[in-house]
């Protein structure tokens, strides 16, 4: 089966959020609806050493949309069968079937599901399906000033960049088998328990 | 803080669990007393079924109101194959319908009066499965604090505490108005033990099964929940239970079942405790990942 | 507006003077032959040319795609936007989509601000009508008037002030809202120059110290290689430089990424772990603000002690490095080496010494000094934040000298430091719209305009006044175009507001803007301007000018808005200067003129405007395959290609500075000088935290403040280290008060480990919104900044301030 995927280069993402706004503009998303969001990861502490400060500080960014997972928990969770996975592997929401119960929002471990209170339905990244159909790159990918975003067939991306999809703050892949490939930032620590946290809650949550 | 969207769910889950709990309480009552044909007990039956039906009905209406696009709810049963929510919705609807039939058989002999007991039992079983499905709705693999046996245990104890409590309140209301209930004290005793057992399990559940939110620090800083909620849950639980024990040990033997106000106060305490507990449940929503 | 008075001249390419373009020439001829009478019809016919005519094809759904420049604010970049227009409205904005995105000619990808521009363009608060003040000045009460009233008022006030005080009482202040040719302050400047002039100024708020100080070392500001050369570097120090956020020319961040991909090691020295430190650097080295010169000195100490300096380059190309190189007659004075080793002051500038000042562990200092001294070629790029400080000249000079003694000058992959305008022609022209000569010769340092209001007549050379001994006026009229400097962007807002409130000081203030800014609130007359999508325009690069970007008119100006050019032109008519001002040209004609200007100077092959517009690429570029290297000739043969310094060489010791005879504040070799507000001073007892106000991603200074998508992405707040927050019992997200003797602001805080302990950051540019008690509720850092200026450049030191933070 075909499976489209995103590539994200965490080692060079600046957290500028151009991708986030490019997406908002493309899809006319209102405030608080961020199909692509940029998480700021931060951890570590300062150590005083005589007159000097030693910064044991780690930080990087994670730009995330929907990972169009191979085992999408959202799709299984939805009572209305409002979610569909198309032949390219892209997971869509059928606005005509969604009743806005927000249940799926509980399940997606990537924060991809974004309720639109004006449309009264759950929404999320649709991989810019119209652009794909025209052979154009998704809006966010074409936007990134750092060229830190790309897209393509999952297998192809994995071949090019290696198979990395459990970079903090992402969960273990076992939950959904996400279609994403990441180049980690130098400051990434092994997933699991660690002192890294998402620092910009107010910017990514409602 | 919980999502404002979660308040209707607090109401929905609690009301439907009260409904099921009342049926459970009712069953135990019928099993403890012999003379089920007594008119007062007849009334009790009717009231229990009505309350169960009513609270489930309100629960469904509330849950319906919380939908952003309620018109699209027509599709809500389409994913029973994989969605516990879909199953819950189906079960809740069947449950409500069976309660309706149950009441109708009692009141209007529809489909047949003698079917009442079977219908009651059927409703009860559907209800118990409903509570199971309901807890499965929340046992989401990506939500570790919910995805534990503590969730079904909590849902069932809520049913027992509030259902039992509700039944006890109804018995006392009836008892106060009509001292003619035979075996009043037996009924009260049964309910007291039922509630006691549920309170005990609740405490065990809180102590042993429920994971601690702090231990789960992950991507986001753990949600800060005011400690007052937990305190309130425990304090009101113990307060309600103490009032009930006091009433049970010193007052119940009195004519007319002793001062019912104590029972009502105890129920209010238990209700507050359960609401606090449910609030905590939703507030502790905490997903792996982001 | 940006100041390149040091060594950088805009090449003469004025098509009018060159007479190269025949059509243009003939039209001019006709114009002058026909005289005033001929003007009407000419304008009439040219105006019809300004009707919107979009290139590109009509899509099925009725949209037309037009590529245009992102409105030319002073944003640090210049990018191409792809506008989707439907029924006279922009319905979507994308960015440069030219195929083949390589580093010779990379796509000019827009940042978050460009992508969110719809929210500014269609903001409900846009000014619609001219308005005049009704309440007290600064109170913010206005009533709608007609354009006739507005322009008559403006003309009569200009006339009155000119008559009673003279032209030098008029100021068209610094204003960077538009670098587009036909919108922006230059339109007003041209008119004033025709009208007899206005008070001149020099310098910029951006880089007063760096542009002023660099030439003392190199004799020029053109010390930068073309950016494509960065990938040849092996070691890059981003010193207080944050291109991922402030861009510094579109794609600077991308070139650095490419350099790192090619194996360069990159470090970032900044009190904050900036976006650049996170995304581009291999290592972040936090430094106590205002102490960079100390770190530089200690690095020099290590480099020289360990003989890592480039002796050959120093001997051939520098003066003043050590005793043997001192200028004639000054042999006994303190050379650079003397300062570093403490020969005179008995304080060797060791890593231990610098550790106590900078807060950087001495081992780190030693390590980076060795790295910079030994990895070749290396690039030390200076940001401008650290020179927007007390004694901001010193880190500039220090960086230039470090680059020189390590021999990183004039080579590929190297970088001479300093302002580093791009070789070989200095980079962009910014505004080429001809403002003409200012008949008023007197000029002040740009930052000192409030002084010139209060006591202009007392000001002379000791306060940087040039062109006259004493100013002959205090400022009496301000015509403020495309600027929020009056209130928001100048230092010490409360003080500035008091000065402007006093109607006996400045007698008339006019503001031309798109929004009711804090500055506009202090105006007597507010004139609404269209956005840059609503009029023809043209822009070139920001700092690096490898392209020209076309800004066709794609929308009609709404309501009663007009372009800055049109306002000036209509005012010119009332002042009897219409022909001189317009030369019979409307905005589009001027853009045609500008395209020719570029053809005559940098881009001989650029097509004419009509063709450019038809091509619909948004931009005309010249790919850079062989990046030019600054100071290469000089390095190869200093005798043949001397620098424009007194010695013709790199002046590590500057005789000119020495002769200023202010060794405490203007030393002849770069030195660390403790700032006037510092954690080491008395003032820190009351106000123990250093505050800075960096240039924030969601805004261009104050432009874009209040745009919802941007505010959602990057809210305004004060950033504070967890240790400082803890000591004050502050929790993340709390509303906190930040204050000093100059003012108070109350905003939410973000606790972050990404800032050094003892330092807080309030991103600059938020609109000043004082409540009844005068507490600013939005967080304009200038409420806290000081209007004290730097000693040599008379520059703004708006990053130097001490504050306290507390829960209200
Ligand atoms: N997003 C955005 N980009 C912009 C602008 C904007 O408003 N917003 N404005 C544009 C304009 S006009 C200009 S002039 C430039 C300005 O560009 P800069 O002047 O370079 O920008 P700043 O943010 O003031 O300072 C850059 C860095 O210097 C750090 N810094 C402050 N004090 C010190 C110090 O003492 N030592 C060291 N080592 N570092 C220090 C700050 O933390 C910051 O990260 O940006 C341009 N680009
Ligand atoms: N504390 C502190 N203060 C600083 C700085 C700092 O680092 N710290 N940085 C300084 C620097 S580097 C600079 S460059 C200055 C910038 O200061 P300003 O030049 O005042 O820049 P802006 O705040 O962007 O204000 C520009 C105004 O122009 C308006 N505008 C935009 N387009 C147009 C147009 O086409 N026509 C007209 N008429 N108006 C238009 C905008 O709405 C906005 O109000 O700020 C300085 N102030
Ligand atoms: S646009 Fe690129 S660099 Fe900016 S936040 Fe998104 S992925 Fe990161
Ligand atoms: S990322 Fe979330 S919303 Fe997207 S497919 Fe996976 S589970 Fe579903
Ligand atoms: S919100 Fe919509 S998509 Fe999500 S589970 Fe409910 S019905 Fe399905
Ligand atoms: S692919 Fe399209 S819809 Fe998805 S995040 Fe990117 S811009 Fe948004
Ligand atoms: S860098 Fe400047 S020109 Fe480029 S998109 Fe951002 S605001 Fe517009
Ligand atoms: Mo600037």
């Amino acid at each position: 089966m075909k499976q489209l995927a995103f590539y994200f280069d965490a080692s060079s993402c600046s957290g500028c959020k151009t991708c986030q706004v490019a997406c908002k503009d493309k899809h006319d998303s209102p405030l608080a609806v961020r199909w692509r969001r940029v998480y700021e990861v931060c951890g570590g502490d300062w150590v005083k050493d005589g007159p000097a400060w030693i910064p044991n500080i780690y930080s990087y960014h994670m730009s995330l949309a929907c990972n169009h997972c191979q085992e999408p928990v959202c799709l299984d969770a939805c009572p209305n069968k409002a979610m569909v996975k198309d032949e390219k592997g892209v997971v869509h929401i059928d606005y005509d079937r969604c009743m806005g119960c927000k249940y799926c929002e509980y399940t997606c471990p990537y924060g991809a599901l974004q309720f639109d209170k004006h449309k009264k339905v759950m929404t999320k990244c649709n991989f810019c399906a119209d652009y794909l159909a025209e052979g154009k790159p998704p809006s966010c990918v074409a936007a990134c000033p750092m060229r830190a975003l790309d897209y393509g067939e999952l297998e192809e991306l994995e071949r090019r960049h290696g198979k990395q999809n459990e970079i903090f703050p992402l969960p273990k892949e076992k939950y959904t088998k996400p279609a994403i490939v990441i180049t980690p930032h130098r400051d990434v620590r092994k997933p699991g328990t660690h002192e890294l946290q998402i620092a910009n809650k107010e910017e990514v949550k409602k | 803080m919980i999502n404002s969207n979660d308040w209707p769910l607090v109401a929905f889950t609690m009301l439907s669990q009260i409904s099921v709990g009342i049926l459970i309480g009712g069953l135990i009552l019928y099993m403890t007393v012999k003379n089920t044909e007594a008119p007062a007990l007849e009334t009790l039956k009717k009231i229990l079924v009505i309350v169960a039906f009513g609270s489930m009905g309100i629960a469904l209406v509330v849950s319906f109101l919380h939908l952003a696009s309620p018109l699209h709810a027509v599709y809500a049963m389409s994913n029973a194959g994989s969605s516990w929510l879909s199953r819950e919705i189906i079960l809740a609807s069947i449950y409500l319908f069976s309660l309706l039939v149950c009441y109708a058989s009692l009141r209007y002999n529809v489909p047949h009066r003698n079917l009442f007991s079977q219908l009651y039992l059927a409703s009860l079983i559907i209800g118990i499965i409903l509570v199971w499905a309901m807890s499965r709705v929340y046992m989401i693999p990506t939500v570790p604090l919910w995805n534990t046996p503590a969730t079904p245990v909590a849902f069932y104890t809520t049913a027992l505490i509030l259902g039992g409590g509700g039944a006890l309140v109804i018995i006392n209301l009836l008892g106060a108005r009509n001292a003619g209930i035979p075996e009043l004290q037996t009924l009260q005793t049964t309910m007291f033990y039922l509630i006691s057992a549920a309170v005990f399990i609740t405490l065990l559940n809180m102590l042993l099964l429920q994971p601690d939110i702090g231990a789960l620090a992950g991507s986001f800083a753990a949600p800060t929940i005011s400690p007052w909620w937990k305190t309130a849950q425990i304090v009101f639980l113990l307060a309600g239970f103490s009032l009930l024990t006091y009433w049970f040990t010193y007052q119940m033997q009195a004519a007319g079942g002793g001062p019912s106000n104590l029972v009502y106060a105890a129920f209010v305490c238990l209700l507050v405790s359960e609401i606090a507990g449910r609030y905590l449940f939703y507030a502790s929503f905490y997903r792996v990942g982001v | 507006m940006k100041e390149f008075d040091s060594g950088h001249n805009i090449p003469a390419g004025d098509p009018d003077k060159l007479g190269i373009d025949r059509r243009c020439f003939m039209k001019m001829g006709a114009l002058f032959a026909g005289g005033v009478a001929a003007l009407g019809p000419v304008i009439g016919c040219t105006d019809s040319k300004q009707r919107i005519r979009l290139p590109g094809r009509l899509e099925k759904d009725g949209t037309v795609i037009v590529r245009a420049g992102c409105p030319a604010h002073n944003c640090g970049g210049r990018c191409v936007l792809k506008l989707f227009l439907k029924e006279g409205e922009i319905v979507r904005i994308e960015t440069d989509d030219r195929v083949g995105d390589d580093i010779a000619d990379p796509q000019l990808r827009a940042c978050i601000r460009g992508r969110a521009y719809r929210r500014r363009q269609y903001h409900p608060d846009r000014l619609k009508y001219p308005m005049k003040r009704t309440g007290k000045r600064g109170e913010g009460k206005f009533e709608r008037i007609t354009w006739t009233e507005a322009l008559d008022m403006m003309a009569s006030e200009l006339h009155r002030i000119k008559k009673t005080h003279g032209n030098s009482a008029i100021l068209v202040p610094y204003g960077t809202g538009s670098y587009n040719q036909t919108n922006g302050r230059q339109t007003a400047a041209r008119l004033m120059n025709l009208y007899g002039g206005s008070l001149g100024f020099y310098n910029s708020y951006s880089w007063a110290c760096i542009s002023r100080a660099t030439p003392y070392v190199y004799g020029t500001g053109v010390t930068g290689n073309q950016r494509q050369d960065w990938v040849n570097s092996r070691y890059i120090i981003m010193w207080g430089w944050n291109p991922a956020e402030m861009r510094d020319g579109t794609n600077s961040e991308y070139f650095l990424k490419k350099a790192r991909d090619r194996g360069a090691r990159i470090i970032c020295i900044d009190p904050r772990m900036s976006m650049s430190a996170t995304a581009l650097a291999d290592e972040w080295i936090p430094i106590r603000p205002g102490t960079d010169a100390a770190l530089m000195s200690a690095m020099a100490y290590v480099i020289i002690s360990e003989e890592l300096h480039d002796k050959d380059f120093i001997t051939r190309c520098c003066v003043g490095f050590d005793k043997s190189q001192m200028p004639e007659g000054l042999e006994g004075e303190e050379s650079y080496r003397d300062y570093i080793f403490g020969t005179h002051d008995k304080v060797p500038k060791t890593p231990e010494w610098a550790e106590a000042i900078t807060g950087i562990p001495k081992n780190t200092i030693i390590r980076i000094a060795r790295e910079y001294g030994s990895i070749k070629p290396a690039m030390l790029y200076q940001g401008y934040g650290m020179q927007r400080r007390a004694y901001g000249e010193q880190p500039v000079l220090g960086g230039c000298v470090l680059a020189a003694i390590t021999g990183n000058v004039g080579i590929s992959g190297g970088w001479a430091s300093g302002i580093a305008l791009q070789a070989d022609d200095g980079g962009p022209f910014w505004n080429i719209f001809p403002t003409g000569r200012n008949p008023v010769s007197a000029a002040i340092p740009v930052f000192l305009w409030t002084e010139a209001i209060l006591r202009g007549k007392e000001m002379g050379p000791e306060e940087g006044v040039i062109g006259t001994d004493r100013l002959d006026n205090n400022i009496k009229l301000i015509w403020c175009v495309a600027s929020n400097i009056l209130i928001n962007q100048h230092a010490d807002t409360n003080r500035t507001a008091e000065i402007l409130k006093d109607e006996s000081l400045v007698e008339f203030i006019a503001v031309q803007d798109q929004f009711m800014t804090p500055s506009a609130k202090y105006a007597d007359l507010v004139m609404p301007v269209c956005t840059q999508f609503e009029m023809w325009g043209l822009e070139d690069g920001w700092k690096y000018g490898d392209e020209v970007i076309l800004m066709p008119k794609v929308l009609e100006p709404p309501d009663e808005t007009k372009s800055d050019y049109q306002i000036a032109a209509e005012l010119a008519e009332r002042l009897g200067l219409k022909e001189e001002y317009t030369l019979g040209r409307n905005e589009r004609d001027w853009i045609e003129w500008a395209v020719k200007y570029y053809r005559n100077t940098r881009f001989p092959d650029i097509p004419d405007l009509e063709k450019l517009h038809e091509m619909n690429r948004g931009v005309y570029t010249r790919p850079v395959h062989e990046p030019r290297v600054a100071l290469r000739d000089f390095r190869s043969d200093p005798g043949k290609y001397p620098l424009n310094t007194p010695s013709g060489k790199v002046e590590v010791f500057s005789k000119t500075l020495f002769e200023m005879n202010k060794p405490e504040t203007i030393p002849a070799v770069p030195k660390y000088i403790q700032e006037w507000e510092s954690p080491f001073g008395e003032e820190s007892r009351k106000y123990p935290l250093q505050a800075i106000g960096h240039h924030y991603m969601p805004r261009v200074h104050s432009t874009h403040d209040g745009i919802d998508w941007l505010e959602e992405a990057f809210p305004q707040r004060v950033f504070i280290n967890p240790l400082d927050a803890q000591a004050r019992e502050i929790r993340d997200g709390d509303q906190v008060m930040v204050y000093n003797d100059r003012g108070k602001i109350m905003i939410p805080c973000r606790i972050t480990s990404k800032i050094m302990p003892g330092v807080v950051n309030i991103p600059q540019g938020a609109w000043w919104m004082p409540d009844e008690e005068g507490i600013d509720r939005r967080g304009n850092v200038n409420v806290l900044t000081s209007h004290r200026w730097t000693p040599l450049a008379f520059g703004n030191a708006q990053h130097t301030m001490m504050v306290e933070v507390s829960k209200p």
Side-chain angles (χ1 to χ4, degrees), chain C residues 256-324:
Chain C
L256 283 166
K257 175 182 163 168
K258 286 285 177 198
R260 201 177 55 170
D261 287 350
R262 290 264 301 258
R265 176 173 157 73
I266 305 185
I267 66 169
C268 177
I269 302 171
D270 196 308
R272 304 179 307 118
M273 188 189 240
S274 62
M275 287 165 57
S276 305
T278 315
L280 297 167
D282 297 296
E283 184 181 358
W284 169 48
I285 295 161
I287 186 170
R288 181 168 291 131
T291 66
D292 300 274
L295 174 60
M296 288 165 175
S297 302
M299 284 172 70
Y301 181 93
V302 175
I303 288 169
I304 301 169
S305 311
E306 303 189 1
E307 305 269 341
L308 297 172
H309 52 302
D310 185 336
K311 282 152 226 114
D312 169 62
F313 181 80
I314 294 173
T315 324
R316 283 195 312 116
C317 302
C318 303
V319 296
F321 174 72
D322 60 15
K323 255 205 291 298
S324 72

Side-chain angles (χ1 to χ4, degrees), chain A residues 17 25 32 131 186 202-203, chain C residues 92-93 118 281 712-713 717:
Chain A
K17 296 190 181 169
D25 183 65
Y131 278 12
R186 66 178 138 79
E202 75 278 18
E203 296 168 7
Chain C
R92 186 182 301 168
I93 295 180
R118 272 205 291 151
E712 172 184 44
R717 55 221 151 148

Side-chain angles (χ1 to χ4, degrees), chain C residues 115 145 235 241 271 307 404 618 696 717 758 772 778 786 795 800:
Chain C
R115 300 304 292 258
I145 54 174
Y235 189 74
W241 187 36
E307 305 269 341
Y696 205 20
R717 55 221 151 148
E772 309 79 55
R778 174 69 189 148
S786 149
T800 294

